Amino acid sequence: MRNIQFFSTDTDDGVVSVVAKTGPGEHRRVAQIPVGNAPRGGVKFTRDGRGFVCNTSQNTISEIDAVALTEVRRIEVGHGPRGQGMVPGDRYLLVSNSGSNSISVVDLELNTEIHQIPTGRDPRHMGISADGRTAWVCVWGEGYISKLNISALGSDNPAGITEISRIPVDREAHPYSLAIDPSGRKVFVANTQATFVTVIDAQTDQTQRVDVGFIGGRAVAFTPDGRHALVTVESISRVYVIDVNTLRVVRHVPVGPGPRGLVVDPGDDTAYITNFARANMMHSGDNHPLYGPNSLTMVDLSSAPLDRDEGTFTYEEVHVGYGPCSVVMFDLDTLSAEERARRVEHASTEA
């Protein structure tokens, strides 16, 4: 039996909803963790289950415990925090402050902000390379990706972080979030106000566009084999499937209304998508599942081909809180039984 949890950031409720999964088709909502006002972005976890989420309207991030399912503390950062990146090694967390036009560096041993890096207007979500040397940040308000050299964090020198380049997307495109493909060679960018996905060569900074036909790009994830990029397109309630090698759209998958967050469980090829819409936005004649807002749509990616428009996918639904904007996965089996027991005992003592 698997021991997986999905964490849905529910903006309108001020909570993180937790959905437990013990196997394919075996889901149940087990908790809602109150955090700060207007939480945004996916929870970022350390390997030992410390999770962090932005409280956009309170200029803080909340730490939550993946085992005890409680809020542990709040850490002050800049104004309007919206996106985060966990630096490999779990010592530092980067937080994009959309209201301060900066990136906070948070020391997770000291549990405090120790530095801020100026950026362009309204930075949003980011990605960090597997070697912990480079970060790419969506600068939503100015239409470019800020590429940062963060290798100085390896020597505990946050003041040494520098901007390598500004990679143009389009000033009116409003790049929102991005993800680095499993090979580390390409960065896929979802743009909220452009009808294309931007793909960046991680080494040369050269860009290409992949036309999806509609505005409203929100999140990017990849299939476990790395062959396909999945992009949520909020305005049309679909997930677009892009061949990573050819950069062609090979299929689109109808999902629930207003999809934003996206994560794929590599254990069984299931995609989880948050339906952010505050009202039902079904598109008739497009084979959309009859699911409402404020839910997770689950799509069995192995139930139909991804590389061609053939067959119908198998779906499920679980309701979460209001305004779910992001979803992430944490595997409790990566923690030892002793660590899980210690964390639960610590939480009960603190209570």
Side-chain angles (χ1 to χ4, degrees):
M1 184 177 72
R2 304 182 72 201
N3 195 10
I4 307 294
Q5 290 177 335
F6 293 88
F7 293 77
S8 170
T9 303
D10 302 334
T11 298
D12 295 351
D13 269 349
V15 302
V16 174
S17 292
V18 186
V19 174
K21 174 181 183 176
T22 54
E26 300 171 358
H27 301 89
R28 60 191 178 93
R29 195 181 80 183
V30 295
Q32 287 190 311
I33 307 169
V35 289
N37 193 24
R40 291 275 185 170
V43 180
K44 297 298 182 183
F45 282 102
T46 62
R47 287 166 295 177
D48 61 356
R50 298 176 68 192
F52 299 87
V53 66
C54 294
N55 300 314
T56 303
S57 296
Q58 291 185 325
N59 308 327
T60 62
I61 58 172
S62 287
E63 178 181 341
I64 62 176
D65 189 307
V67 177
L69 303 182
T70 56
E71 182 184 46
V72 177
R73 64 174 57 85
R74 296 182 189 179
I75 301 171
E76 292 187 6
V77 288
H79 295 289
R82 284 182 180 263
Q84 302 174 106
M86 184 67 68
V87 179
D90 294 347
R91 169 72 185 272
Y92 297 106
L93 179 74
L94 304 184
V95 181
S96 59
N97 303 308
S98 61
S100 300
N101 302 332
S102 66
I103 302 294
S104 291
V105 181
V106 177
D107 186 318
L108 298 182
E109 291 184 3
L110 301 176
N111 297 317
T112 190
E113 177 195 78
I114 57 172
H115 187 61
Q116 282 197 20
I117 307 148
T119 67
R121 182 167 58 88
D122 202 347
R124 297 293 179 99
H125 303 288
M126 70 180 76
I128 296 177
S129 61
D131 62 8
R133 298 181 62 85
T134 309
W136 289 265
V137 182
C138 292
V139 182
W140 188 88
E142 296 191 37
Y144 66 83
I145 305 302
S146 178
K147 185 177 182 180
L148 303 177
N149 180 349
I150 61 171
S151 59
L153 291 176
S155 55
D156 299 325
N157 178 28
I161 294 174
T162 58
E163 185 176 61
I164 305 169
S165 60
R166 294 183 173 184
I167 305 168
V169 175
D170 186 292
R171 190 170 184 86
E172 304 302 321
H174 295 302
Y176 183 77
S177 71
L178 56 81
I180 305 161
D181 89 293
S183 75
R185 295 192 296 265
K186 297 175 182 178
V187 180
F188 284 69
V189 183
N191 304 305
T192 59
Q193 297 300 315
T195 60
F196 56 85
V197 171
T198 302
V199 182
I200 303 169
D201 184 300
Q203 295 300 316
T204 68
D205 296 348
Q206 292 182 335
T207 63
Q208 293 177 266
R209 294 181 176 183
V210 180
D211 182 37
V212 295
F214 298 91
I215 65 170
R218 287 289 181 175
V220 183
F222 297 93
T223 54
D225 60 11
R227 293 176 56 192
H228 297 102
L230 309 176
V231 183
T232 53
V233 181
E234 183 177 19
S235 64
I236 196 67
S237 296
R238 295 173 181 166
V239 171
Y240 277 74
V241 183
I242 300 170
D243 186 298
V244 169
N245 291 321
T246 66
L247 299 185
R248 292 189 306 109
V249 174
V250 292
R251 177 152 204 178
H252 64 77
V253 183
V255 292
R260 288 201 177 184
L262 171 64
V263 70
V264 177
D265 179 355
D268 59 12
D269 286 349
T270 301
Y272 293 76
I273 303 102
T274 55
N275 300 314
F276 183 80
R278 292 177 171 88
N280 206 313
M281 294 170 52
M282 290 295 97
H283 296 267
S284 61
D286 200 19
N287 297 317
H288 280 268
L290 297 178
Y291 296 156
N294 307 313
S295 64
L296 286 179
T297 296
M298 293 86 145
V299 184
D300 181 354
L301 298 176
S302 65
S303 61
L306 286 176
D307 59 357
R308 59 191 183 277
D309 190 13
E310 178 183 302
T312 302
F313 289 95
T314 300
Y315 295 91
E316 295 177 64
E317 179 189 40
V318 170
H319 287 280
V320 287
Y322 286 96
C325 67
S326 299
V327 61
V328 299
M329 170 181 162
F330 188 79
D331 186 351
L332 287 170
D333 288 334
T334 61
L335 303 177
S336 67
E338 292 78 10
E339 175 67 13
R340 290 199 297 269
R342 185 189 69 79
R343 299 283 284 280
V344 170
E345 180 180 1
H346 178 74
S348 61
T349 302
E350 289 292 315

